[in-house]
Amino acid sequence: MVYQLTAVDKLQQEHSMVQADLVEIYIKTCQAGNSVGNTRAREYLLHGAERRVRLLRGCLSNVFKQFPPDATKPITSEALEEVQISLHAFVMNLYGFFENLAWAYVFRHDLVKVIGDRRKIGMFLRSTQEHLPKVLSDYLTSTTIVAWHNDYLKNYRDSLAHRIPLYIPPSELTQDEAQRINALEKEKFECLNKSQLDRFDEIRTEQASLGTASTVFLHSFEDEEASKPVQLHPQMLCDAMTVAEFGSLYFMHWHERV
């Protein structure tokens, strides 16, 4: 489903704003990494979180460039592939950003032995949260962030890493358009068998013109692992805003220890 004109304007404005916010987080990450004494904490900031923020900015920019929110017709298959690559990198580095901040905090405050198990170190794990300043643990355990992590971030990251990669449908079709697509697909294979390459190209062009742009992504279609379609541009902006919001809060308090 394509966006309404008012929604397009809002998405473009928010994109500009969040890109600036991510620059601020990048600067704060570099400043903290260069000032902290613990070498492992420095590594997780400068070679972990800092790189991820740059990648998040680049991925977001590429999606808005290759798939502008005002697109109404399906984008090209080449552009769609670029968008999906950026989406995959975005989700993995989104998850990794929070994990890098957790490890940086743990190393800065020498908590590895206190926590006792490296598998219990993570920004969304209670075993780590209980050692964070209250303002950070309150943020992470808020209803909004818990739902965002459990229903979306962990779900889609885990599927991407271990099960079904995230997928953006090439288009949204009416019933008549879907039937036409199927008929053209059969004719296309007949053209290949008969070496009718000119007609084959005509069919591909017609197929590409059918339908409207699909602005959602999902992973599995089946059974208990099935996912709900998520709107691409709004979700990525929401994710980037969460990085900026939590990152700013984190660097205000990461020197504190419970």
Side-chain angles (χ1 to χ4, degrees):
M1 181 182 297
V2 298
Y3 303 116
Q4 297 294 324
L5 183 59
T6 53
V8 170
D9 292 339
K10 183 180 179 181
L11 290 170
Q12 296 286 22
Q13 292 171 6
E14 290 180 347
H15 178 227
S16 297
M17 292 172 59
V18 79
Q19 286 285 11
D21 290 341
L22 290 176
V23 170
E24 289 297 318
I25 296 304
Y26 171 80
I27 293 171
K28 290 178 180 179
T29 304
C30 292
Q31 290 173 337
N34 283 303
S35 62
V36 68
N38 184 282
T39 58
R40 295 304 308 279
R42 183 183 304 121
E43 181 181 34
Y44 272 97
L45 291 180
L46 297 182
H47 299 293
E50 178 267 339
R51 292 181 187 175
R52 294 187 191 279
V53 173
R54 284 192 287 117
L55 284 167
L56 290 173
R57 289 190 70 245
C59 290
L60 187 61
S61 177
N62 194 44
V63 168
F64 272 72
K65 177 182 178 181
Q66 298 287 346
F67 193 167
D70 61 357
T72 56
K73 298 303 292 183
I75 61 177
T76 67
S77 58
E78 293 80 9
L80 183 61
E81 184 173 352
E82 287 293 323
V83 171
Q84 291 188 137
I85 290 170
S86 292
L87 175 62
H88 290 185
F90 183 90
V91 170
M92 293 301 292
N93 284 286
L94 173 65
Y95 193 94
F97 173 79
F98 286 90
E99 296 305 281
N100 285 162
L101 294 189
W103 277 97
Y105 183 88
V106 166
F107 277 120
R108 175 171 187 169
H109 296 286
D110 196 22
L111 294 171
V112 175
K113 292 182 179 179
V114 175
I115 294 174
D117 187 339
R118 295 172 66 89
R119 292 171 296 181
K120 294 182 180 180
I121 297 174
M123 196 59 79
F124 297 100
L125 297 178
R126 190 60 195 164
S127 51
T128 295
Q129 292 172 355
E130 63 187 12
H131 297 284
L132 298 174
K134 186 175 186 300
V135 65
L136 296 182
S137 61
D138 284 351
Y139 181 94
L140 294 166
T141 57
S142 66
T143 301
T144 300
I145 295 301
V146 168
W148 173 76
H149 172 259
N150 292 345
D151 299 337
Y152 165 69
L153 180 58
K154 188 176 188 304
N155 179 359
Y156 282 71
R157 178 268 180 189
D158 286 357
S159 183
L160 174 59
H162 306 294
R163 302 191 304 274
I164 305 299
L166 309 185
Y167 167 74
I168 302 171
S171 63
E172 294 186 7
L173 304 169
T174 65
Q175 185 174 357
D176 289 343
E177 287 171 334
Q179 291 175 349
R180 179 59 178 162
I181 285 278
N182 291 334
L184 288 170
E185 194 67 17
K186 292 180 181 178
E187 185 182 353
K188 189 166 68 175
F189 283 109
E190 292 174 0
C191 289
L192 282 178
N193 291 332
K194 297 176 182 179
S195 298
Q196 297 174 339
L197 300 184
D198 289 342
R199 176 55 185 158
F200 179 86
D201 289 338
E202 291 174 359
I203 292 172
R204 291 187 62 187
T205 300
E206 182 178 351
Q207 285 180 319
S209 71
L210 294 172
T212 57
S214 177
T215 58
V216 302
F217 67 94
L218 64 162
H219 52 80
S220 175
F221 294 94
E222 302 293 336
D223 302 327
E224 71 276 3
E225 293 184 353
S227 63
K228 296 179 180 179
V230 177
Q231 285 201 307
L232 176 67
H233 301 83
Q235 186 62 58
M236 292 184 72
L237 288 173
C238 173
D239 297 341
M241 290 175 187
T242 304
V243 167
E245 184 177 65
F246 181 74
S248 181
L249 192 66
Y250 175 89
F251 288 116
M252 288 175 60
H253 297 279
W254 87 299
H255 62 283
E256 303 169 13
R257 177 177 174 179
V258 177

